[in-house]
Amino acid sequence: MLKIVDTDLVEALEALAARRPSLDRRDLALDLHRLKKGDSHHYLFLARREKTFLFPLSEVFQEGSYANLSFLSPLGQVHRRPDVLLLQPKQAPKTRPRGNLTVLNYPDVAMDVEVFSLLTCRLDKETHLRAFLRSCRREAKPGKWSDYLRHLSIEGVEPYGHGR
């Protein structure tokens, strides 16, 4: 995991799109609009094949939700690895979003989402979500913009499953 602190989140998503020519720019425009609205403090951004998704983190962890199903759909497929970013905007809505960006590993996050879905107690779910965010903060190595760009240049085809 790589963490970039206090960065322009719009620029980060545009940099990703510039290196993924197959991504649908209309999807990205909708994601940027949602990010600028500032409905959430934590978002998961997923880019796979031609689609991008920006979901509030809590929706991804909500079993059976559109966000949950969209996030887990690449499991078991073999394509280019999906890009997953945790975005934590820190500014007031309607300004250009700045905040922290953490590059995540899709199989690890997908496993967390699946485990969360098995939990039945609301308190357990809240605890798991907090633990997920804490582990992202603790395990992510601080990086610079050039590290993020280097990460985006990594190409590869691999299964999306849990082959650790």
Side-chain angles (χ1 to χ4, degrees):
M1 283 191 272
L2 172 70
K3 183 173 187 172
I4 311 297
V5 177
D6 191 33
T7 192
D8 183 328
L9 298 176
V10 172
E11 185 178 4
L13 296 183
E14 288 172 345
L16 185 144
R19 286 158 178 79
R20 309 285 187 265
S22 63
L23 290 179
D24 184 342
R25 298 295 190 239
R26 292 172 300 207
D27 278 354
L28 184 63
L30 290 171
D31 294 337
L32 292 174
H33 176 72
R34 182 177 221 181
L35 183 62
K36 289 174 185 175
K37 277 179 50 179
D39 294 337
S40 179
H41 296 292
H42 302 95
Y43 292 96
L44 273 182
F45 177 81
L46 174 70
R48 61 181 164 95
R49 292 181 295 182
E50 70 284 344
K51 300 286 292 171
T52 65
F53 302 91
L54 179 73
F55 295 120
L57 182 65
S58 60
E59 289 180 20
V60 173
F61 280 86
Q62 183 180 340
E63 183 181 17
S65 69
Y66 176 72
N68 175 268
L69 297 173
S70 297
F71 192 83
L72 293 176
S73 70
L75 280 174
Q77 299 177 19
V78 178
H79 291 287
R80 189 190 183 294
R81 66 172 171 74
D83 293 292
V84 181
L85 305 174
L86 173 64
L87 305 177
Q88 298 170 287
K90 293 189 174 200
Q91 84 305 326
K94 300 184 181 167
T95 63
R96 190 163 171 105
R98 292 191 67 81
N100 298 338
L101 171 149
T102 307
V103 177
L104 303 174
N105 181 22
Y106 177 79
D108 294 342
V109 179
M111 188 180 320
D112 260 323
V113 170
E114 288 182 321
V115 166
F116 183 87
S117 296
L118 300 174
L119 301 174
T120 55
C121 174
R122 185 173 154 255
L123 184 59
D124 289 343
K125 289 182 178 243
E126 290 172 4
T127 301
H128 185 84
L129 201 50
R130 281 195 304 275
F132 171 78
L133 289 168
R134 199 171 33 254
S135 84
C136 288
R137 276 194 307 272
R138 202 176 44 242
E139 295 175 22
K141 293 180 174 70
K144 300 178 283 191
W145 186 252
S146 58
D147 299 323
Y148 175 63
L149 295 178
R150 188 171 22 265
H151 167 79
L152 293 180
S153 68
I154 297 170
E155 295 292 333
V157 175
E158 59 187 54
Y160 294 171
H162 302 307
R164 293 177 192 235

